[in-house]
Amino acid sequence: MGVILKLSGADMLMRALHDEGVELIFGYPGGAALHIYDAIFRQDKIDHILVRHEQGATHAADGYARATGKPGVVLVTSGPGATNAITGIATAFMDSIPMVVISGQVASHLIGTDAFQETDMIGISRPVVKHSYTVFDAQDIPKIIKEAFYVATSGRPGPVVIDIPKDMTAPDKLYDYEYPEKANIRSYNPPIEPEQNQIERAVAAIISANKPVIYAGGGAIASNAFKELFELNEILDAPITNTLMGLGIYPATHKRFLGMLGMHGTYQANMAMHNADLIIAIGARFDDRITNNPSKFSPDAKIIHLDVDHSSVSKIIEADIAVFGQVKNSLEAIIKTLKNNLDDYDSKRLKPWHSQIAEWRSSHGLNYELYKDESDNNSILPQAVVQHVYNITKGEAYVTSDVGQHQMFAAQYYHFDKPRKWINSGGLGTMGFGLPAAMGVKFAFPNEEVVCITGEGSIQMCIQELSTCFQYNLPIKIININNEALGMVKQWQDMNYGGRHSESTYQNSLPDFIKLAESYGHVGIKIEKNSELKESLEKAFSMKDKLVFVDVYVDPSEHVYPMLVANDSLENMWLSKDKKT
Amino acid sequence: MIKRKLIMIMENKPGALVRVVGLFHQRGYNIETLHVDPVTDFSRYKFIEEKLETKFKENEISRLTITTFVSDSLMRQILRQLNKLIDVIAVSNEETTYLKGVLLDENLL
């Protein structure tokens, strides 16, 4: 650095984003952001992607962030531009995804006057951001950008909003530009290294456990702890389960992997959690989809909880040993201490535990009670669609999903061996996330296969982004698992409301998705029979340079199982429509 | 449920107070009383200045006192949530203090 330039606020903003390493912005222009958009036009370092709705911009930036680990960047205008972005900001907040959202604001002298397109963005976004900034003095723009990226990416990551009144970016006022090398926020100090005494307590508990389970979540992915987690379990030889957010942080095809746990987790994962004597929670937060009834959760287990966020530990389930720090660093410390005590660690003692788990696995594995007859006498099962997609893509695709039954089928039947490949809205459960998130992933990795597994309900919530996909030539594969109903809502209505399908079907009003895809310039393929399924999916994936919208009609009566019995322990599950554990 | 007192030292920045108040609402806690003052006598907070490697200037930090009716476990959760707010420098209850994200076993405020 050291070079001082005279720049306008808008030019400083673009220059600062470039100096921060930003390559891509997802956004939508409007009055209060026009000075910034002019600055975008006059530079060539950063690409701007024009979406069709601000929600699409935030989800695309989110997908980009989840796949790359780098913060996603969004630019929107004031008022409706800002409010449209809120759902995507909340989605990123619930899943701790680093994101910086820049919103235009009406000029300073108009704030508070109910000016055209004025809204209190800082106020509206406050509960769903990690932090936010208003630019009161254009000279502060470089410093605020530096701080915003630091806050968004450090500690427990999350979205940060920067609200910029229009006069702060005016072209006629120039400022000395210098980008700070380091953010210095005196009141902010996220933990990195764990305390050694906690590590020693954790290792002692690990050494004495006979029925340990590793339970790893999205925090382990955020901390890029794949290698460390794998190395730890090469020593421990413990069964391991991942949350919906954690899928891929441990290879799903590994023999120690139990599958996902929780609401729609596998039989063996939930049984192992319930019967464990030690749970090693790694970057996971014991949310209600995991614990079910907290007072009945894993009655005999001691809990070791590794997390970067103090407030996530002992919030729902009391931790016996709390290890605060970056999960990666905490795992490294545990491995080091364990290696110094290797004589005390005998993984052979876990043999009875492994045989018990093998028994659970074979009695109610995931394919339990799925059809064996794939003739056209049967409707296509949604699980089979995911299995075929998994086989065709050799398990190596980036898979985004929306929310509902198709999301759970994707999580259960696409086996992720690497982190950051499974991109879904776990915490907020945002329908409409899948397609724009897939765009973000495709921009980050143009040569990789990107699949959006969605449903006819979710896809219609952000379907306008098909137009963006055409503009930027994004050959995503959209697998629309079409059961002509809001499947998960319907499943709950079947199970808990006497089969009264209140407002969960569309009365034959669905669009012709094939024509719809074609009118956006893409290819549409319809699949209605089992005999067409494999071949038509292969055809879709063979069109490398086309976005293909595959509309697969599946059995509308299918439910997602296993499913935890409401408000009970993890060992009580529905295994099929008429069978409980 | 017992009436408890929380004390906070925070950056005196626009929107900082509403983050604290909003957090109580968002997490379902109730505020009984609230008192805010700019800190003028920095001599009491020398240890914070040392920890932060900074020198406070006039009108730069505020002291907040909040009373609320909560259980022990909820009190701990509130402290941890407040500690997460970027503008909060230190927060304490009767027994503990979070100072710049680090938990200390006494009420220093």
Side-chain angles (χ1 to χ4, degrees), chain A residues 215-437:
Chain A
Y215 147 56
I221 294 180
S223 189
N224 295 315
F226 179 82
K227 192 174 119 277
E228 291 73 13
L229 180 58
F230 193 84
E231 190 186 343
L232 174 67
N233 211 23
E234 286 300 291
I235 306 172
L236 298 190
D237 189 28
I240 175 164
T241 178
N242 289 164
T243 66
L244 179 66
M245 287 304 299
L247 293 175
I249 192 62
Y250 197 80
T253 53
H254 197 288
K255 65 177 177 6
R256 297 192 194 101
F257 188 63
L258 299 169
M260 181 172 75
L261 80 162
M263 178 62 84
H264 293 295
T266 62
Y267 179 73
Q268 62 269 20
N270 286 339
M271 290 301 280
M273 286 291 281
H274 185 77
N275 292 284
D277 66 355
L278 177 72
I279 291 173
I280 308 168
I282 303 173
R285 58 186 175 87
F286 294 92
D287 86 291
D288 55 281
R289 302 284 109 160
I290 300 299
T291 60
N292 206 2
N293 185 337
S295 65
K296 294 181 181 174
F297 176 78
S298 304
D300 302 324
K302 197 174 226 191
I303 311 277
I304 302 174
H305 196 162
L306 280 60
D307 211 292
V308 74
D309 175 11
H310 284 240
S311 70
S312 282
V313 175
S314 299
K315 180 173 66 177
I316 292 155
I317 300 293
E318 190 69 28
D320 298 284
I321 300 163
V323 182
F324 297 119
Q326 270 297 337
V327 163
K328 189 187 184 78
N329 302 51
S330 300
L331 286 171
E332 274 171 359
I334 288 176
I335 292 166
K336 196 171 158 214
T337 305
L338 197 59
K339 278 185 173 166
N340 293 336
N341 296 279
L342 265 193
D343 294 346
D344 301 335
Y345 191 80
D346 175 20
S347 67
K348 283 194 205 73
R349 79 193 190 291
L350 301 184
K351 247 187 162 171
W353 181 226
H354 281 300
S355 351
Q356 171 69 71
I357 284 167
E359 202 181 309
W360 286 327
R361 201 191 285 266
S362 62
S363 61
H364 297 296
L366 263 185
N367 281 319
Y368 178 72
E369 283 197 348
L370 285 187
Y371 63 17
K372 297 287 177 272
D373 173 16
E374 290 199 37
S375 77
D376 289 345
N377 298 328
N378 285 317
S379 308
I380 296 173
L381 281 187
Q383 296 94 327
V385 179
V386 179
Q387 285 176 322
H388 280 295
V389 171
Y390 175 73
N391 290 333
I392 292 168
T393 58
K394 301 188 180 73
E396 288 168 357
Y398 285 87
V399 179
T400 72
S401 91
D402 276 294
V403 173
Q405 287 186 321
H406 69 268
Q407 177 191 26
M408 291 301 119
F409 290 134
Q412 290 176 332
Y413 290 91
Y414 201 103
H415 309 296
F416 295 92
D417 280 341
K418 286 184 192 151
R420 299 195 179 280
K421 293 253 170 173
W422 166 238
I423 315 279
N424 89 125
S425 166
L428 196 67
T430 309
M431 291 170 72
F433 175 80
L435 174 57

Side-chain angles (χ1 to χ4, degrees), chain A residues 73-91:
Chain A
V73 183
V74 176
L75 173 60
V76 296
T77 191
S78 64
T83 56
N84 279 346
I86 293 292
T87 300
I89 297 172
T91 304

Side-chain angles (χ1 to χ4, degrees), chain B residues 9-27:
Chain B
I9 299 294
M10 58 193 300
E11 300 284 358
N12 180 15
K13 286 185 181 166
L17 178 62
V18 77
R19 285 182 214 276
V20 173
V21 176
L23 188 140
F24 273 76
H25 173 72
Q26 184 183 352
R27 299 273 171 189

Side-chain angles (χ1 to χ4, degrees), chain A residues 501-512:
Chain A
H501 296 158
S502 177
E503 303 298 320
S504 54
T505 59
Y506 321 97
Q507 314 285 338
N508 296 321
S509 64
L510 282 176
D512 180 335

Side-chain angles (χ1 to χ4, degrees), chain A residues 491-563:
Chain A
Q491 173 169 349
W492 280 63
Q493 290 170 338
D494 284 337
M495 295 176 80
N496 303 323
Y497 297 92
R500 295 182 294 280
H501 296 158
S502 177
E503 303 298 320
S504 54
T505 59
Y506 321 97
Q507 314 285 338
N508 296 321
S509 64
L510 282 176
D512 180 335
F513 286 109
I514 308 306
K515 281 190 190 155
L516 187 72
E518 284 169 357
S519 80
Y520 277 111
H522 306 302
V523 177
I525 295 178
K526 189 173 189 168
I527 307 177
E528 289 176 294
K529 292 190 197 132
N530 267 312
S531 56
E532 308 163 341
L533 181 59
K534 184 163 177 275
E535 204 177 316
S536 296
L537 282 171
E538 280 170 350
K539 189 176 148 207
F541 281 97
S542 71
M543 287 184 252
K544 294 287 174 208
D545 54 354
K546 288 277 183 198
L547 185 151
V548 185
F549 191 113
V550 185
D551 190 22
V552 197
Y553 283 77
V554 298
D555 185 348
S557 65
E558 188 61 18
H559 286 178
V560 183
Y561 295 108
M563 180 170 174

